[in-house]
Amino acid sequence: MARFGLSTLSNLWRGRGHDHPWQAPEASWHRPFGLGWTQPYTVRYASNLDDGPNHGMPLGGFGAGCIGRAPDGSFNLWHLDGGEHWFGTLPDCQFALFERDGESSRAHALAVKPTLDASRPDAGEPLNSWSWYPASTAEQSTGTYAARYPLSWFEHSKVFQAEVSCEAFSPILPGDYRRSSYPVAVFRWRLANPTKTPLDLSLLLSWRNTVGWFTNTDPSAAVTFRDDGSPEHNYVPAIGRGEGQRNRCLDAPGLKGVLLEGRRSEPLAEGEGQWCLVVPDDLEGVEVLRCSRWDPTGSGAEIWTPFATDGSIPDSNNDRRSTGSEQASAAIALRFRLDPGAVIELPVVISWDLPVTAFASGTRALRRYTDFFGPCGANAAAIAAEALRDWRDWRTQIEAWQQPVLERSDLPEPLRMALINELYDLASGGSLWTAASPTDPVGRFGVLECLDYAWYESLDVRLYGSFALLQLWPELDKAVLRSFARAIPASDATPRPIGWYFTQGKGRVEAARKLAGATPHDLGAPNERPFDATNYTAYQDCNLWKDLASDFVLQVWRTFKLAPSGEDLRFLADCWPAAVEALRYLKTFDANDDGLPDNGGAPDQTFDDWPLQGVSAYCGALWIAALEAALAMGQRLQLELGLDTSAEQREFGGWLEQSRANFDDLLWNGEYYRIDADSGTPVVMADQLCGDFYARLLGLPPVVADERARSSLKAIKESCFEAFEGGRLGVANGLRRDGTPLDPKGTHPLEVWTGINFGLAAYYRLMGETATALAITGAVVEQVYSGGLQFRTPEAITAAGTFRACHYLRAMAIWALWATHTGWQPIPGAALEA
């Protein structure tokens, strides 16, 4: 292992030189350290999740569980139980710095002072002996937080004499189906001495033993309903469970650290395993101190008093096991002297090995990273050791894959920033990535629609939100679509109440959970049997939806045609039978035999609070595009694999001819397409031609003529963008032609959906209207990243400053704009074979 020590490493670090202030890296989201928000967006429905704006970038691999460190320095996001969310600051999970310049000394934990726990007013002020880092104010900054996923930076200024900064990351690497799954975070600290006197410094990392915490103690799978009509399940993690925990010092070739362990069941249970804190063992001139156990529930003086005195901590290896609810934290400190003009770089690694994700039915899954480190839950040190060995290579690869985005000066910097940062949801969106099997060679993969609508890979949402996965990890995109292909023939007659009818005051209306041939809405929820028990959502009867079958077929053909790894005929053949069955099922809703499926009055498509009646522009255009895609699929399979698809081609061709003959006659009003044929609703629907966008994107015959597409886009721009709040928010879903609302109290029509806006912007770009595309995207990005919604991008925002459904999958549709703007410019690594 290379030696780390005191040197001049400025060429290895984009940061502050002695003559220049620290600059946030290009295309990063950044904010003064600890500065509060004056008027952030707040949640629209009281029952929906709103943790406030203090969100930073997640750390940890896809499906491995992740942690998040906020712009005020606190570790407050803990997504360590697959598909579940816990948000709360553990003050003792923190870095701290001691400094002495010969005349005076100072020590601060590198986060702002934690607030009192309102749920436990008797608990008092946490760690009240600690000194906390001062927050920035409007008048003076004490540092900067910046993020460009999976990289984040903390810079601290005007408090210490040393120049202090930290870069944190995990190995999120396109096309790398191993390292992108790792449960690990690397913290690359840089400290420089710009003064004329030596500085004595000590960097502390303290961490709570949380082994055993992140498992649901209320495993009920019963469906209940929120005030917005959506189903939910209860999550009660075992926060504070301490019995059986122990911490012990770790010495291994190349590293020193501390292992945090807990009780172990046989077989290993959810939440059981290890945490590991390590540093290199060959840091020249650096003293490594370790305290394996201290009590984080009191004042914290036992660790803080010696640290604030001389940078030391009690050097002990107390590995006794906790009893009762006793809590245990561990700490590691790096103490050294920094001469004038010297710079030191200190890599610190946090890893975790919590290999099991359990579901309410008693089933369980191993996480993807166990394919490389084993399922025993005793390999946190091995994960950390690889990180210490390879972090420089990982960092170089991250820089390489981000470079094509950074170089696109024809895209505004805020858009480039959002392109990269919106990928955060692949880690913190409750992602599930299971170990591989013969049937699933890269494992099964899924991201929640959002934390409020906690079911995996909602198909109507991923029609937009899967563009990132397709372009960067195409084998995972295929894995998701194969899961849908298996689910389409399945059935489940279990009756369930439909939530929308409750919100309409219509009482209890029940429907079968899943009918054979119906394309499922989602791949199930983390409290049931995801991938096997589909259609968890019960807000609407998804068996009646008129977009899902088309969504499936279009995504299969899109992934086949556009995946950077090339065309995969085996994948196409695997999905073909399900595509045929799905389209035949959807055709049964053609009530008047005009070739086009009819919407039924109750909301039955992705705008699931918006009733459509008869043939609709949204569902009809998707249907026509899907038939074109199915014909292309059948032709390729027959020509290249010898499958006899002639009967299906004749069938789909007949439907297509009939549908095309009637679509414009039923819906074109001379300027744009009516929302539907039968309701008479006089609005311009923003996403009326999503099907035409997909057809053009995939090189299929367009759904509508160019002049009608352009006329519709003009009406959408004028009515739903420019006339709605002057375009400052983005495009509203549906307004009258003069820009006024049909119903001032409406829900979906008056919302700006982030992912729909990004998809619509890609359509404008595809039609050559780049200025409009960038204006729409810029408006939405501004609202999200200036409104305290960063790293929790919602489905919807409103003119009243409210949002709905944060951590939303559809927002990754911003990668559709990258595809249309750059002509599918490849990202390094994405084309690698799994």
Side-chain angles (χ1 to χ4, degrees):
M1 179 179 288
R3 296 183 67 82
F4 304 90
L6 307 185
S7 61
T8 53
L9 295 172
S10 58
N11 61 317
L12 298 178
W13 187 277
R14 177 179 173 165
R16 165 175 61 179
H18 298 331
D19 300 321
H20 303 284
W22 190 90
Q23 296 292 318
E26 181 183 5
S28 64
W29 178 80
H30 50 89
R31 186 173 180 83
F33 182 91
L35 182 67
W37 278 259
T38 56
Q39 196 171 1
Y41 274 86
T42 55
V43 76
R44 182 171 189 178
Y45 296 105
S47 62
N48 278 199
L49 181 68
D50 186 2
D51 293 316
N54 193 32
H55 275 73
M57 185 202 79
L59 292 159
F62 302 163
C66 67
I67 57 179
R69 193 177 183 204
D72 70 353
S74 62
F75 285 90
N76 59 7
L77 183 76
W78 306 86
H79 283 188
L80 294 162
D81 183 351
E84 306 291 1
H85 170 74
W86 190 73
F87 188 86
T89 297
L90 300 179
D92 50 304
C93 291
Q94 192 49 252
F95 289 98
L97 186 67
F98 165 85
E99 177 185 80
R100 182 166 54 205
D101 60 12
E103 297 180 357
S104 60
S105 65
R106 61 209 57 86
H108 298 288
L110 297 178
V112 303
K113 185 176 181 179
T115 57
L116 295 175
D117 185 348
S119 67
R120 297 182 60 215
D122 58 328
E125 182 179 309
L127 303 182
N128 58 20
S129 71
W130 287 35
S131 174
W132 300 92
Y133 195 83
S136 297
T137 65
E139 292 74 33
Q140 178 169 301
S141 170
T142 58
T144 304
Y145 172 78
R148 191 178 70 219
Y149 184 74
L151 301 166
S152 65
W153 297 267
F154 283 89
E155 176 264 346
H156 301 275
S157 57
K158 301 182 179 65
V159 174
F160 296 101
Q161 293 197 42
E163 297 173 352
V164 182
S165 51
C166 177
E167 179 182 77
F169 63 91
S170 297
I172 305 301
L173 306 172
D176 191 327
Y177 299 91
R178 174 176 176 140
R179 291 161 190 85
S180 297
S181 75
Y182 282 7
V184 69
V186 177
F187 299 86
R188 177 190 184 190
W189 286 90
R190 177 190 184 273
L191 297 100
N193 183 357
T195 74
K196 296 181 180 180
T197 59
L199 295 175
D200 292 318
L201 297 164
S202 183
L203 178 68
L204 169 74
L205 171 61
S206 170
W207 206 255
R208 181 85 62 95
N209 189 331
T210 62
V211 173
W213 284 24
F214 296 103
T215 184
N216 197 357
T217 61
D218 181 4
S220 171
V223 176
T224 58
F225 293 93
R226 295 188 182 91
D227 57 358
D228 65 356
S230 60
E232 65 176 344
H233 69 272
N234 203 22
Y235 180 59
V236 184
I239 303 301
R241 177 183 289 173
E243 185 174 3
Q245 292 177 341
R246 68 167 183 170
N247 306 335
R248 57 190 175 93
C249 292
L250 169 69
D251 293 281
L255 60 84
K256 285 180 177 289
V258 186
L259 270 177
L260 286 62
E261 302 171 307
R263 292 186 305 182
R264 299 177 64 86
S265 305
E266 184 58 47
L268 201 70
E270 180 178 65
E272 297 180 345
Q274 294 178 330
W275 286 85
C276 186
L277 322 175
V278 299
V279 298
D281 67 353
D282 57 355
L283 291 165
E284 182 180 347
V286 177
E287 181 184 12
V288 179
L289 303 171
R290 290 172 291 180
C291 175
S292 70
R293 185 184 185 95
W294 67 276
D295 180 7
T297 63
S299 70
E302 65 177 293
I303 201 84
W304 194 257
T305 298
F307 182 74
T309 301
D310 61 6
S312 68
I313 57 175
D315 199 358
S316 68
N317 187 17
N318 179 354
D319 64 351
R320 74 170 181 84
R321 292 192 179 272
S322 298
T323 59
S325 59
E326 196 178 14
Q327 301 291 289
S329 288
I332 186 168
L334 303 174
R335 191 164 63 165
F336 53 93
R337 168 164 287 189
L338 202 58
D339 291 331
V343 180
I344 190 170
E345 185 177 77
L346 301 171
V348 180
V349 170
I350 300 176
S351 64
W352 54 99
D353 184 7
L354 307 171
V356 176
T357 295
F359 312 118
S361 61
T363 58
R364 46 187 260 149
L366 293 173
R367 302 182 194 262
R368 166 65 170 174
Y369 77 85
T370 64
D371 288 334
F372 316 110
F373 291 99
C376 66
N379 285 301
I383 297 167
E386 184 173 330
L388 279 183
R389 185 191 71 199
D390 293 344
W391 67 265
R392 288 185 184 79
D393 291 339
W394 296 349
R395 179 61 179 81
T396 299
Q397 291 176 64
I398 292 169
E399 188 172 346
W401 78 252
Q402 292 188 347
Q403 199 60 35
V405 178
L406 301 180
E407 289 174 349
R408 292 300 300 227
S409 58
D410 54 334
L411 292 172
E413 186 172 10
L415 195 157
R416 285 178 275 147
M417 176 277 296
L419 265 168
I420 297 175
N421 276 329
E422 287 301 323
L423 298 174
Y424 82 94
D425 198 51
L426 293 171
S428 67
S431 56
L432 175 62
W433 190 2
T434 70
S437 69
T439 306
D440 298 287
V442 296
R444 287 173 148 185
F445 183 80
V447 176
L448 296 179
E449 178 175 332
C450 67
L451 296 172
D452 285 309
Y453 314 149
W455 38 85
Y456 286 107
E457 293 291 337
S458 300
L459 191 61
D460 57 315
V461 174
R462 81 178 317 272
L463 180 73
Y464 307 81
S466 58
F467 275 95
L469 202 63
L470 166 68
Q471 294 175 78
L472 302 175
W473 291 274
E475 296 305 316
L476 295 184
D477 190 54
K478 292 176 189 176
V480 173
L481 292 171
R482 281 191 169 102
S483 292
F484 275 101
R486 293 172 195 153
I488 285 170
S491 63
D492 181 349
T494 305
R496 295 196 303 167
I498 303 303
W500 180 74
Y501 290 97
F502 289 122
T503 69
Q504 304 300 303
K506 297 182 179 181
R508 188 179 184 93
V509 175
E510 293 187 341
R513 176 163 179 159
K514 170 70 171 69
L515 298 180
T519 304
H521 170 270
D522 56 74
L523 294 175
N527 65 310
E528 288 195 335
R529 291 179 295 116
F531 306 114
D532 298 319
T534 62
N535 268 0
Y536 182 82
T537 182
Y539 183 59
Q540 296 290 354
D541 179 1
C542 296
N543 299 294
L544 303 179
W545 277 32
K546 309 308 186 299
D547 54 350
L548 295 174
S550 302
D551 295 346
F552 173 71
V553 173
L554 286 169
Q555 289 177 65
V556 168
W557 183 244
R558 181 203 65 181
T559 298
F560 172 74
K561 288 293 292 181
L562 301 179
S565 49
E567 294 184 347
D568 183 347
L569 282 164
R570 186 69 265 158
F571 163 74
L572 198 64
D574 288 346
C575 295
W576 171 250
V580 171
E581 186 171 0
L583 290 174
R584 286 174 175 163
Y585 178 90
L586 181 52
K587 181 60 168 61
T588 65
F589 294 99
D590 178 8
N592 51 9
D593 200 30
D594 59 7
L596 293 154
D598 292 277
N599 293 88
D604 52 7
Q605 24 66 45
T606 195
F607 301 94
D608 59 0
D609 217 22
W610 201 352
L612 303 178
Q613 187 70 49
V615 175
S616 67
Y618 181 77
C619 296
L622 286 170
W623 166 254
I624 290 172
L627 290 175
E628 292 283 7
L631 283 171
M633 291 166 63
Q635 291 164 5
R636 291 294 299 274
L637 291 171
Q638 185 158 328
L639 286 172
E640 300 190 37
L641 290 185
L643 298 180
D644 183 3
T645 64
S646 54
E648 290 87 350
Q649 290 185 58
R650 286 192 299 271
E651 184 178 24
F652 297 156
W655 295 349
L656 179 61
E657 182 179 0
Q658 193 180 13
S659 296
R660 284 192 174 277
N662 290 311
F663 183 78
D664 279 27
D665 286 347
L666 289 168
L667 297 169
W668 177 248
N669 71 358
E671 187 184 8
Y672 57 90
Y673 287 87
R674 287 188 290 270
I675 188 170
D676 60 35
D678 293 347
S679 73
T681 304
V683 299
V684 179
M685 184 182 192
D687 206 27
Q688 59 188 259
L689 290 178
C690 180
D692 187 61
F693 163 66
Y694 249 89
R696 293 172 186 270
L697 182 74
L698 302 181
L700 299 167
V703 173
V704 301
D706 285 3
E707 62 272 15
R708 293 190 174 182
R710 295 186 191 283
S711 178
S712 298
L713 287 172
K714 180 175 182 291
I716 294 164
K717 175 184 175 183
E718 293 174 354
S719 303
C720 301
F721 181 47
E722 294 173 341
F724 181 69
E725 297 292 319
R728 70 178 181 88
L729 297 182
V731 180
N733 281 327
L735 297 171
R736 295 178 187 269
R737 183 62 181 89
D738 64 1
T740 59
L742 181 66
D743 176 5
K745 296 181 179 180
T747 52
H748 289 185
L750 288 174
E751 290 180 329
V752 172
W753 287 14
T754 56
I756 294 292
N757 270 247
F758 294 149
L760 187 60
Y763 186 25
Y764 276 101
R765 178 61 187 85
L766 198 63
M767 298 301 291
E769 298 187 33
T770 302
T772 301
L774 297 182
I776 292 170
T777 309
V780 175
V781 168
E782 169 67 18
Q783 294 303 312
V784 169
Y785 286 89
S786 295
L789 296 171
Q790 75 288 336
F791 303 110
R792 55 172 188 149
T793 307
E795 162 79 314
I797 58 176
T798 74
T802 62
F803 72 88
R804 180 172 58 80
C806 60
H807 298 262
Y808 206 75
L809 169 62
R810 191 168 355 221
M812 280 186 286
I814 197 169
W815 279 83
L817 186 63
W818 170 261
T820 55
H821 190 79
T822 66
W824 298 90
Q825 180 178 346
I827 298 297
L832 295 174
E833 293 291 333

